[in-house]
Amino acid sequence: MKSLPYFCRGEVVRGFGRGSKELGIPTANFPVSVVDHLPADIDTGIYYGWACVGTGDVFEMVMSIGWNPYYKNTKKSMETHVIHTFNEDFYGEILNVVMVGYIRPERSYDSLEALIAAINNDIEESKLKLELPEHLKLKEDNFFTSVTSLSSAAPPTTASTSQTIMNGH
């Protein structure tokens, strides 16, 4: 995937409400405007990289892009699990992510337990891959500190600057 690393940011919106409640693995969801602007070569599947909320610290992350076959979603989504324990929800905050690499395609599972086990394996694989020097350096990328307001990131692509997308390397 020649578009990796891929940088994007957007407002955290409410998703399906399953991450924390059903899976025990909270996720932050991007609005449709961000999902719709992914490069064509970013396939559905599981990715790893770096994320920060607002101007906070940068943490490891795993992200699911697609339709979540286990749940048979009809709407494509980008669900980011930031590998950090937050004290409260951050709906409405700006999530900044750098997708560094691809772990696997999305797939369905026979049980919720099998899905949770796969996600936990993805988290562990993400942690290992992000220790590589070429991936670790992206944690310090200016992307995480250079833009604190979406309105200065790029021309608005929707009526709301809170959903403006910043893409590129």
Side-chain angles (χ1 to χ4, degrees):
M1 289 174 222
K2 63 183 178 199
S3 294
L4 296 179
Y6 182 74
F7 298 74
C8 67
R9 61 173 45 105
E11 181 179 342
V12 176
V13 298
R14 292 199 180 272
F16 301 104
R18 299 183 291 239
S20 293
K21 294 177 187 74
E22 208 169 304
L23 301 172
I25 303 166
T27 59
N29 298 275
F30 279 116
V32 173
S33 60
V34 175
V35 179
D36 288 347
H37 285 87
L38 286 169
D41 74 323
I42 299 286
D43 295 326
T44 59
I46 311 304
Y47 291 81
Y48 63 93
W50 300 103
C52 84
V53 178
T55 57
D57 292 337
V58 179
F59 299 105
E60 299 157 319
M61 68 86 175
V62 290
M63 176 188 290
S64 171
I65 298 176
W67 289 272
N68 302 313
Y70 177 81
Y71 290 103
K72 298 174 178 52
N73 290 358
T74 57
K75 184 172 81 170
K76 187 176 180 181
S77 64
M78 287 174 72
E79 298 175 282
T80 305
H81 172 66
V82 181
I83 304 172
H84 176 75
T85 302
F86 292 90
N87 293 329
E88 55 191 39
D89 290 335
F90 44 86
Y91 296 113
E93 296 289 328
I94 301 303
L95 179 65
N96 306 282
V97 301
V98 176
M99 294 165 43
V100 176
Y102 183 78
I103 296 176
R104 62 174 176 83
E106 61 177 350
R107 59 178 72 113
S108 191
Y109 294 90
D110 295 331
S111 68
L112 186 61
E113 293 75 22
L115 172 60
I116 292 169
I119 294 169
N120 284 321
N121 288 338
D122 297 335
I123 290 168
E124 291 310 310
E125 185 171 344
S126 172
K127 290 177 181 179
L128 288 173
K129 290 181 181 279
L130 288 169
E131 289 177 7
L132 296 171
E134 63 268 26
H135 298 329
L136 197 56
K137 70 180 181 185
L138 289 166
K139 181 180 182 180
E140 307 300 325
D141 195 276
N142 288 338
F143 170 75
F144 291 114
T145 57
S146 63
V147 180
T148 57
S149 166
L150 286 178
S151 60
S152 63
T157 56
T158 64
S160 168
T161 56
S162 67
Q163 293 187 5
T164 302
I165 305 152
M166 173 156 184
N167 303 328
H169 308 303

